[in-house]
Amino acid sequence: EIAYVCEWEKRPKSNHCPSIPLVCAWSCRNLIAFTTDLKNEEDDKDLSHMIHILDTDHPWDVYSINSGHTEIISCLDWDQSGSRLLSADGDGQIKCWGMTEHLVNSWECTQSSSVDGDPIVALSWLHNGVKLALHVEKSGSTNFGEKFSRVKFSPSLTLFGGKPMEGWLAVTVSGLVTVSLLKPNGTLLTASESLCRLRGRVALADIAFTGGGNIVVAATDGSSSSPVQFYKVCVSVVNEKCRIDTELLPSLFMRCTTDPVRRDKYPAVTHLKFLTRENSEQVLLCASCQMGSIVECWSLRKEGLPVNNIFQHRSPVVGEKQPMILKWRILSATNDLDRVSAIALPKLPISISNTDLKVASDTKFFPGLGLALAFHDGSIQILHRLSLHTMGVFYGSSGSSQRVGEESAIKRQRAGGPTLHFKALQFSWTSLALVGVDTHGKLHMIRVSPSMGQMLDMNTLLRHLLFLLEYCMVTGYDWWDVLLHAQPGMVHNLLEKLHEEYMRQNQALQQVLSTRIVAVKASLCKLSTATAARACDFHAKLLLIAISSTLKSLLRPHVLNTPDKSPGDRLAEICAKNTDIDIDKVMINLKTEEFVLDGHPLQSLQQLIQWVGDFVLYLLANLPNQGSVVRPGFGFLRDGASLGMLREMLVMIRIWGLLKPGCLPIYTATSDNQDSMFLLFRLLTKLWLCSRDESHPQDPDETLIDECCLLPSQLLVPNMDWLPINDGVITKIQSKHPLRLQFGKPYTLPGLNHTAQVEVFRSPASQRMDHLRCLHLGITPTEDCKACTRCGCVTMLGSPNKTNAMRQWEQRWIKNCLPNPAPKHSPTPPSLSTRYLRARVPPT
């Protein structure tokens, strides 16, 4: 368990009401939004109308939105990309929140709609038509396309050309369904319609989607003796107006109401949920009383309609089929349970059938098969989503919260007070973690084992984690919750197996996933001190790839007719074939007219060119030191592709230097007649020749090592900023001991010297870098900066550049980040430091 404790939510309000709903939502970017019903003790400020958003790796950096809702917030829902959030309240107000300039701690209301005075009981974004199936039975396949397949699924509403239309749908307590559509011009198109002719009270509702583009709403008035109604909702746009058509579907009565023993035992339906948002044919129901609860799982099936005996002996007509009807059948039900306070359903898209259940039993892969029930005694049970058999139990944090020395007595649970329990519960997107909000306003994070507590050998566990990492790579989802289960000793094996699986994919898929796999490897490396240097190498490789593609994109063919290959491709081909160590002889084979550019873009990109030159010098100068201790840059010594990329850029920079000498990298040489570019290219080519054949790499010869030993006496070797400091929580929870954190107070391990890691790679008082623009910010920067919540890359909020070339470079990272795994050492005070997220591509 990882308990995130909010400092300003120490006690319930005096008028604390257990019936006030608390809600939380977990996005695919591992952002958590939640609400509380408490007061701030310091300024007596009511927090019940505020939305709190945090990133899981920096849970103390919570951002609280003053939502403007006048009533208690009843629903929260993230969109499919994890960057926008819907909130709804008890007065019928719905608001859409979006990041300001992609900053995770800056949010603004972009759109809003309302059904005045009609409380919202269910809320959901319209489906965008993207559905991915995860096939556990093919986890051993070498093809990602077999493991993760695209399922044919229609969007809820499409624009011209089949593009999905964005919007949301809500159900009110009076039985009204309201739809808001976001038009391409930014305006909002809204409409409302009754679910049925006879409107009645809707106490609970849930929303699911069908493959045909329809929407299914389940609703109940809260009484277990009343039927659970289902409605089909179709949304369309006719003459620039939103139209809603509803149709009544088969309903059901809970079995507990027909059981003579339990007929009056559970009078209220307290939870109603579809098992998955893309499956409207399976629903979970929970009925409760003051002392306990019972949970039932139902499935919608097609059954033959029985024919009266009068028609049994009639001669059948050719081609006539037996009439079929849809009917709800109960799949399973629990025995009498303690009173359920919250339910969480898994988001992992695993299909459920008898075959899948057998595969899960054989492979011991259980993520996505279990649902979580929180009880009023503070415990959590994970049940199989179909059979409802118990798969795991968490007994709550009340015991751990009272350990001596961990917290003061005022924070401990009062022995005579009500039992601490969860009022809201949510699974992560890989079902490997749970987050819950309890009755005292504390936020708790709980690990969920992929084996559900069963003893697994190391190879099986590695295969499960590898499978989920591949899933995150393909979908573009954040993999922070997978890293919760990756121990330092697993890192090396995970890296090797991940690389092996990646190399087995076709060339097109490898190109799509080329940067994502480097980002995954980088985040894995930061989990272990033994691989910290490799994490630095992966960050440098991502920056190298970005700079190379940017510089090559400036090249244009000198004739109008388009050649078979671009200038950048021809450059790579010629450099790969020409093994000459003389850079000028390599230049002879190139069409230099294709490299003629205006001087302004070259000059504005000088800091990127300087980084390339410094990086080559650093690698070569540290080649003799890579034998005993693995240091940053070690991974490049046998990486023929990266060394070849550096070689290509040196040739390109050499040509540009003839046109614009001011763009050349600046070196401090001990000799005035030293041709630094010539020297570095010669040594780099020798190193590249040793490793260009990846199947049979060779060690550098003694002559090359001797020449590299002389480099520091010929050129001043720069200090590279490797970002080794990690301030995220992911590296602090590998020991599986519970952490107790407070909002606003970054957690530090007792006795940890933060400068210990720094001294290996750089001086603690060294210059801080703008890692996006490759600029020095000084030891104590004064500019407002932002930093990535995952890798820690720091960059200035405002751009000092006015040229188009540099603006294009910065535009690449406006909502992205270099996915370097080593988080930042903040160069600015917390009041000036803001965070932004890495690029997350919606599922394709």
Side-chain angles (χ1 to χ4, degrees):
E1 181 216 357
I2 312 141
Y4 297 160
V5 184
C6 179
E7 186 182 32
W8 37 260
E9 294 176 355
K10 297 178 182 176
R11 62 173 177 82
K13 294 191 297 186
S14 57
N15 59 345
H16 177 73
C17 176
S19 63
I20 294 178
L22 296 184
V23 288
C24 67
W26 196 324
S27 81
C28 62
R29 295 190 179 197
N30 279 320
L31 294 178
I32 296 175
F34 64 101
T35 64
T36 67
D37 60 345
L38 306 178
K39 271 187 178 179
N40 189 337
E41 288 186 343
E42 297 178 359
D43 54 12
D44 202 38
K45 184 178 180 180
D46 193 350
L47 301 173
S48 58
H49 299 159
M50 301 189 74
I51 302 172
H52 313 291
I53 297 177
L54 58 83
D55 178 82
T56 51
D57 204 35
H58 297 80
W60 46 80
D61 288 338
V62 67
Y63 181 71
S64 300
I65 303 173
N66 190 358
S67 65
H69 286 292
T70 56
E71 295 292 335
I72 297 295
I73 298 172
S74 57
C75 301
L76 292 174
D77 190 55
W78 290 99
D79 72 344
Q80 289 84 354
S81 67
S83 58
R84 289 181 298 177
L85 177 69
L86 287 178
S87 63
D89 64 12
D91 193 35
Q93 303 292 323
I94 303 173
K95 297 190 177 186
C96 176
W97 302 90
M99 293 183 186
T100 305
E101 297 181 354
H102 309 282
L103 297 173
V104 74
N105 61 346
S106 181
W107 297 79
E108 63 178 356
C109 180
T110 57
Q111 300 284 352
S112 64
S113 62
S114 66
V115 187
D116 292 338
D118 207 352
I120 305 295
V121 294
L123 179 68
S124 175
W125 288 89
L126 297 181
H127 204 282
N128 62 356
V130 176
K131 183 182 178 183
L132 203 70
L134 188 147
H135 303 284
V136 180
E137 70 277 9
K138 297 181 180 178
S139 61
S141 172
T142 59
N143 188 356
F144 284 177
E146 295 179 359
K147 297 180 183 180
F148 320 105
S149 63
R150 176 77 178 265
V151 179
K152 187 177 180 181
F153 209 87
S154 299
S156 303
L157 188 62
T158 55
L159 295 167
F160 179 77
K163 180 181 179 181
M165 191 171 188
E166 295 183 322
W168 57 81
L169 176 139
V171 180
T172 69
V173 75
S174 68
L176 201 67
V177 57
T178 176
V179 175
S180 300
L181 304 177
L182 292 169
K183 297 176 69 175
N185 60 5
T187 59
L188 204 61
L189 196 62
T190 61
S192 299
E193 186 64 48
S194 175
L195 282 172
C196 60
R197 285 187 176 182
L198 299 176
R199 288 173 63 183
R201 178 177 180 268
V202 176
L204 297 171
D206 198 18
I207 301 168
F209 303 92
T210 67
N214 296 320
I215 304 166
V216 178
V217 174
T220 176
D221 62 3
S223 172
S224 60
S225 59
S226 300
V228 179
Q229 302 280 4
F230 295 86
Y231 306 91
K232 183 172 74 172
V233 179
C234 300
V235 182
S236 58
V237 177
V238 181
N239 297 328
E240 295 296 321
K241 291 184 179 180
C242 181
R243 178 179 173 180
I244 304 173
D245 297 312
T246 61
E247 178 185 338
L248 188 63
L249 297 176
S251 58
L252 65 88
F253 282 90
M254 292 191 67
R255 171 171 284 188
C256 63
T257 61
T258 60
D259 187 350
V261 179
R262 300 188 177 98
R263 177 172 299 172
D264 301 319
K265 187 174 182 180
Y266 301 108
V269 180
T270 54
H271 297 88
L272 165 63
K273 291 181 179 292
F274 288 105
L275 283 184
T276 62
R277 65 191 299 266
E278 284 101 3
N279 186 355
S280 60
E281 299 179 352
Q282 292 178 340
V283 68
L284 191 76
L285 297 165
C286 176
S288 304
C289 64
Q290 290 294 327
M291 302 304 295
S293 299
I294 189 170
V295 176
E296 298 177 359
C297 184
W298 290 74
S299 177
L300 186 64
R301 299 178 180 177
K302 276 188 178 181
E303 295 185 356
L305 187 65
V307 182
N308 193 283
N309 293 332
I310 297 176
F311 305 101
Q312 290 289 346
H313 304 290
R314 183 175 62 86
S315 299
V317 180
V318 177
E320 184 181 21
K321 295 182 180 180
Q322 182 183 13
M324 306 294 288
I325 62 171
L326 292 173
K327 194 169 185 179
W328 286 98
R329 291 291 186 183
I330 190 167
L331 287 178
S332 54
T334 64
N335 296 322
D336 295 336
L337 303 170
D338 290 331
R339 189 178 177 188
V340 175
S341 60
I343 293 179
L345 293 173
K347 301 183 178 70
L348 206 62
I350 294 180
S351 57
I352 297 297
S353 65
N354 291 332
T355 304
D356 298 316
L357 301 183
K358 184 178 184 305
V359 169
S361 178
D362 295 341
T363 62
K364 301 295 188 294
F365 184 85
F366 297 107
L369 293 182
L371 58 91
L373 302 180
F375 298 96
H376 275 252
D377 63 357
S379 65
I380 295 176
Q381 288 189 25
I382 297 181
L383 309 181
H384 194 285
R385 59 197 288 185
L386 286 189
S387 65
L388 298 182
H389 293 156
T390 302
M391 302 173 69
V393 181
F394 173 73
Y395 292 102
S397 59
S398 57
S400 62
S401 65
Q402 296 182 15
R403 290 175 182 169
V404 178
E406 282 197 355
E407 58 179 0
S408 60
I410 193 173
K411 295 182 184 175
R412 298 179 190 173
Q413 179 183 338
R414 295 179 177 86
T419 307
L420 193 73
H421 62 271
F422 295 99
K423 296 185 69 176
L425 205 62
Q426 275 274 316
F427 265 111
S428 70
W429 280 69
T430 60
S431 304
L432 293 184
L434 273 170
V435 65
V437 184
D438 66 20
T439 49
H440 287 188
K442 295 178 181 179
L443 193 70
H444 298 256
M445 181 75 69
I446 302 165
R447 267 186 272 245
V448 180
S449 170
S451 61
M452 291 298 171
Q454 297 192 26
M455 297 300 296
L456 295 182
D457 60 278
M458 183 59 70
N459 289 333
T460 304
L461 182 58
L462 286 174
R463 189 168 64 247
H464 292 171
L465 295 181
L466 180 68
F467 188 47
L468 292 173
L469 286 174
E470 293 168 350
Y471 168 71
C472 291
M473 276 203 316
V474 171
T475 58
Y477 294 158
D478 189 83
W479 52 89
W480 181 90
D481 42 342
V482 182
L483 299 181
L484 282 174
H485 302 269
Q487 298 300 309
M490 304 178 183
V491 171
H492 181 72
N493 289 333
L494 276 175
L495 289 172
E496 287 190 345
K497 293 181 181 296
L498 190 64
H499 182 73
E500 290 175 4
E501 293 296 321
Y502 170 78
M503 295 304 296
R504 291 172 181 169
Q505 309 311 309
N506 59 60
Q507 195 65 31
L509 185 57
Q510 285 188 23
Q511 188 173 359
V512 171
L513 303 178
S514 59
T515 55
R516 291 188 193 174
I517 188 173
V518 178
V520 173
K521 289 178 179 179
S523 57
L524 283 170
C525 286
K526 73 175 182 179
L527 299 178
S528 171
T529 55
T531 54
R534 296 188 65 185
C536 299
D537 289 351
F538 288 127
H539 162 68
K541 186 171 183 178
L542 285 165
L543 186 56
L544 176 62
I545 294 171
I547 293 177
S548 175
S549 59
T550 300
L551 296 183
K552 286 183 179 180
S553 67
L554 299 176
L555 305 179
R556 295 290 183 269
H558 67 287
V559 290
L560 292 179
N561 59 322
T562 305
D564 296 335
K565 296 181 180 179
S566 66
D569 293 335
R570 281 201 299 275
L571 171 66
E573 183 180 2
I574 291 173
C575 289
K577 292 180 179 179
N578 194 326
T579 60
D580 204 306
I581 61 175
D582 189 334
I583 190 171
D584 296 323
K585 291 182 179 179
V586 178
M587 287 170 48
I588 296 175
N589 299 315
L590 294 171
K591 297 179 181 178
T592 53
E593 58 269 19
E594 293 180 343
F595 294 81
V596 177
L597 300 176
D598 181 38
H600 294 293
L602 291 178
Q603 191 62 45
S604 62
L605 295 173
Q606 197 278 333
Q607 60 264 35
L608 302 183
I609 295 174
Q610 182 69 46
W611 185 89
V612 173
D614 289 345
F615 187 66
V616 172
L617 175 56
Y618 177 88
L619 286 181
L620 295 173
N622 285 274
L623 177 61
N625 302 325
Q626 301 290 348
S628 56
V629 179
V630 176
R631 298 172 58 87
F634 179 80
F636 284 87
L637 300 183
R638 295 179 181 271
D639 188 352
S642 297
L643 294 176
M645 198 180 302
L646 287 169
R647 192 166 172 265
E648 296 165 17
M649 283 191 282
L650 286 184
V651 173
M652 191 170 12
I653 293 169
R654 179 76 164 192
I655 298 175
W656 284 342
L658 301 176
L659 306 173
K660 185 71 174 179
C663 74
L664 288 173
I666 301 172
Y667 297 103
T668 304
T670 56
S671 175
D672 294 337
N673 58 359
Q674 173 70 57
D675 189 345
S676 304
M677 292 276 294
F678 184 90
L679 173 63
L680 293 178
F681 184 84
R682 181 168 61 83
L683 298 178
L684 180 63
T685 302
K686 289 183 177 180
L687 181 60
W688 169 68
L689 290 174
C690 297
S691 57
R692 64 171 178 168
D693 186 2
E694 295 185 0
S695 57
H696 300 90
Q698 301 175 5
D699 292 329
D701 56 23
E702 293 296 332
T703 305
L704 175 59
I705 293 178
D706 290 342
E707 288 185 277
C708 290
C709 286
L710 295 176
L711 262 182
S713 63
Q714 297 171 306
L715 298 172
L716 180 63
V717 181
N719 289 324
M720 303 295 291
D721 189 348
W722 292 98
L723 302 175
I725 299 177
N726 184 4
D727 64 347
V729 75
I730 189 66
T731 58
K732 302 177 177 66
I733 55 182
Q734 302 305 315
S735 63
K736 295 195 175 182
H737 292 299
L739 300 183
R740 301 198 61 81
L741 313 175
Q742 291 186 358
F743 290 161
K745 295 184 178 180
Y747 182 81
T748 56
L749 290 175
L752 179 64
N753 181 12
H754 288 282
T755 62
Q757 302 177 52
V758 188
E759 292 171 353
V760 178
F761 309 122
R762 69 178 182 194
S763 170
S766 63
Q767 292 264 346
R768 303 302 177 191
M769 287 288 296
D770 182 323
H771 303 105
L772 168 60
R773 302 176 181 91
C774 299
L775 295 174
H776 291 280
L777 298 176
I779 296 177
T780 55
T782 57
E783 294 291 329
D784 292 355
C785 295
K786 58 182 178 181
C788 178
T789 55
R790 286 293 177 270
C791 72
C793 280
V794 179
T795 185
M796 290 181 286
L797 273 175
S799 173
N801 303 288
K802 305 299 181 185
T803 59
N804 291 332
M806 202 61 196
R807 283 181 179 177
Q808 291 173 5
W809 169 258
E810 294 172 357
Q811 191 69 25
R812 296 184 55 160
W813 314 109
I814 189 67
K815 63 177 180 179
N816 307 294
C817 172
L818 301 175
N820 168 37
K824 75 179 182 70
H825 182 65
S826 177
T828 56
S831 59
L832 298 178
S833 178
T834 56
R835 295 182 177 275
Y836 70 108
L837 286 177
R838 267 194 301 190
R840 285 291 166 228
V841 182
T844 56

